[in-house]
């Protein structure tokens, strides 16, 4: 599990370099997110394009990552595959996070 | 880890076989991950979405065993059996960890989402997902063994191509 970061327009993009966010890596993910998001301001887009499986521990870790953000930081999700998207829909967490179909959509949604 | 899947199964005969898959593995998050990957690889006949549901339900059930029945500090074995029937995949998960509280699985009702961000739940989704995506969930405790059985409805008819 690794996270990579880059900035595009007004957003920080954090890409999850892993196929799974599951119980085996949930705590590590949460810790990495805290370290990575530190010092960012504004929109943080979590790019889940490489992730093809998430369980409730992984979901909890993403929720925890959002809760540990500082003032002025906002977490959005992008590029969820069908199985990952389903977990967010079933638990209604899709109503909590802005979810973008693709990274491009996410970056451009505040382009004005 | 042992698997008997596929050994005695003729190809394209996923349907109407019983005891298609039988796995035994130690209680740890990484063993659970490997078991899931083995099972999903054995279920290539299923639609992608069905396979996703199977992997998710099994992940939740097995993570619960690792985290609650045994707990982080306890060693133990988990056994998983999967039989394919006309009405779906029938699973049986057994372990020798602690029994479920009150000898019954949690209700798995979704909690109402709070208005305040800080109150958002970070857990408790597992049983909700299990009950939402599976049928006939039944728990029993017999001679220090937990047994959870459930069914996941999938299309088990042979592929039409």
């Amino acid at each position: 599990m690794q996270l990579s970061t880059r900035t595009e327009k007004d957003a920080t993009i954090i890409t999850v370099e892993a196929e799974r966010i599951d119980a085996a890596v949930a705590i590590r993910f949460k810790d990495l997110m805290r370290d990575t998001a530190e010092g960012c301001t504004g929109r943080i887009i979590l790019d889940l394009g490489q992730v093809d499986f998430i369980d409730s521990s992984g979901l909890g870790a993403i929720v925890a990552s959002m809760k540990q953000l500082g003032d002025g930081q906002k977490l959005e999700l992008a590029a969820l595959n069908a199985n990952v998207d389903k977990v967010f829909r079933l638990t209604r967490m899709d109503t909590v996070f802005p979810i973008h179909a693709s990274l491009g959509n996410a970056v451009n949604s505040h382009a004005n | 880890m042992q698997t008997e899947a596929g050994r005695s199964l003729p190809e394209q005969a996923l349907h109407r076989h019983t005891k298609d898959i039988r796995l035994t593995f130690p209680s740890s998050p990484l063993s659970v991950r490997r078991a899931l990957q083995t099972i999903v690889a054995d279920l290539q006949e299923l639609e992608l979405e069905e396979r996703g549901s199977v992997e998710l339900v099994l992940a939740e059930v097995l993570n619960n065993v690792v985290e609650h029945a045994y707990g982080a500090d306890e060693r133990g074995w988990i056994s998983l059996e999967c039989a394919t029937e006309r009405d779906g995949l029938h699973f049986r998960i057994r372990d020798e960890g602690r029994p479920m509280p009150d000898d019954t699985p949690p209700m798995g009702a979704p909690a109402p989402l709070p208005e305040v961000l800080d109150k958002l739940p970070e857990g408790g989704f597992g049983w909700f997902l299990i009950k939402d995506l599976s049928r006939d969930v039944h728990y029993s405790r017999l001679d220090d063994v937990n047994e959870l059985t459930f069914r996941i409805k999938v299309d088990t008819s042979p592929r039409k191509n």
Side-chain angles (χ1 to χ4, degrees):
Chain A
M1 156 83 55
Q2 272 195 332
L3 304 180
S4 66
T5 316
R6 67 177 196 275
T7 309
E8 218 167 292
K9 296 189 178 169
D10 63 338
T12 303
I13 298 168
I14 300 179
T15 299
V16 180
E17 313 257 5
E19 292 176 4
R20 306 173 74 85
I21 309 179
D22 61 12
V25 295
I27 291 173
R28 179 168 161 73
F29 172 82
K30 183 178 157 182
D31 290 346
L32 282 172
M33 280 294 285
R34 188 187 49 232
D35 296 345
T36 307
E38 201 177 304
C40 300
T41 50
R43 302 174 68 208
I44 296 171
I45 301 171
L46 187 64
D47 168 19
L48 294 170
Q50 294 176 39
V51 178
D52 57 33
F53 180 77
I54 185 171
D55 62 14
S56 68
S57 302
L59 177 71
I62 291 179
V63 173
S65 301
M66 178 174 64
K67 288 164 67 173
Q68 69 193 3
L69 292 177
D71 287 342
Q73 295 182 320
K74 182 171 175 250
L75 185 63
E76 304 176 22
L77 311 179
L80 281 61
N81 86 18
N83 282 329
V84 174
D85 187 60
K86 182 162 74 177
V87 175
F88 279 85
R89 273 188 293 110
L90 290 174
T91 57
R92 294 194 298 139
M93 286 297 135
D94 60 338
T95 63
V96 172
F97 295 93
I99 295 181
H100 306 280
S102 70
L103 204 48
N105 285 1
V107 170
N108 289 318
S109 75
H110 277 223
N112 46 337
Chain B
M1 191 172 300
Q2 309 156 350
T3 175
E4 296 179 1
R7 198 180 60 190
S8 59
L9 284 179
E11 272 190 308
Q12 297 180 339
L14 182 70
H15 66 305
R16 274 184 281 124
H17 271 273
T18 54
K19 299 285 187 293
D20 290 330
I21 300 172
R22 190 192 289 249
L23 290 173
T24 305
F25 47 94
S27 171
S28 82
L30 282 174
S31 298
V32 165
R33 181 193 281 187
R34 282 193 289 270
L36 292 173
Q37 287 168 331
T38 302
I39 293 157
V40 167
D42 281 341
L43 296 175
Q44 291 300 315
E45 298 269 325
L46 299 184
E47 299 286 335
L48 188 67
E49 189 182 346
E50 293 178 336
R51 222 160 50 225
S53 296
V54 170
E55 183 170 14
L56 181 57
V57 171
L58 288 177
E60 300 305 336
V61 168
L62 297 173
N63 288 341
N64 281 342
V65 173
V66 171
E67 290 165 23
H68 301 298
Y70 287 115
D73 301 325
E74 206 175 326
R75 289 160 182 257
W77 292 91
I78 304 172
S79 87
L80 180 157
E81 290 168 34
C82 171
T84 307
E85 309 280 355
R86 286 181 180 281
D87 61 352
L89 301 175
H90 290 243
F91 289 95
R92 179 161 72 148
I93 314 292
R94 284 182 294 179
D95 66 77
E96 296 175 321
R98 286 182 287 278
M100 290 204 195
D102 303 324
D103 281 328
T104 162
M107 287 300 292
L113 290 182
E115 300 288 319
V116 190
L117 183 68
D118 283 346
K119 298 254 173 67
L120 267 184
E122 294 169 30
F125 304 114
W127 271 105
F128 170 70
L129 292 169
I130 293 166
K131 295 205 168 168
D132 197 71
L133 296 171
S134 67
R135 302 285 176 270
D136 307 337
V137 179
H138 182 258
Y139 168 76
S140 65
R141 173 85 177 179
L142 192 67
D143 296 339
D144 297 336
V145 175
N146 294 314
E147 178 178 288
L148 190 77
T149 57
F150 53 92
R151 170 171 67 93
I152 301 178
K153 197 170 173 301
V154 295
D155 181 6
T156 54
S157 56
R159 272 198 289 202
K160 294 172 193 73
N161 53 357

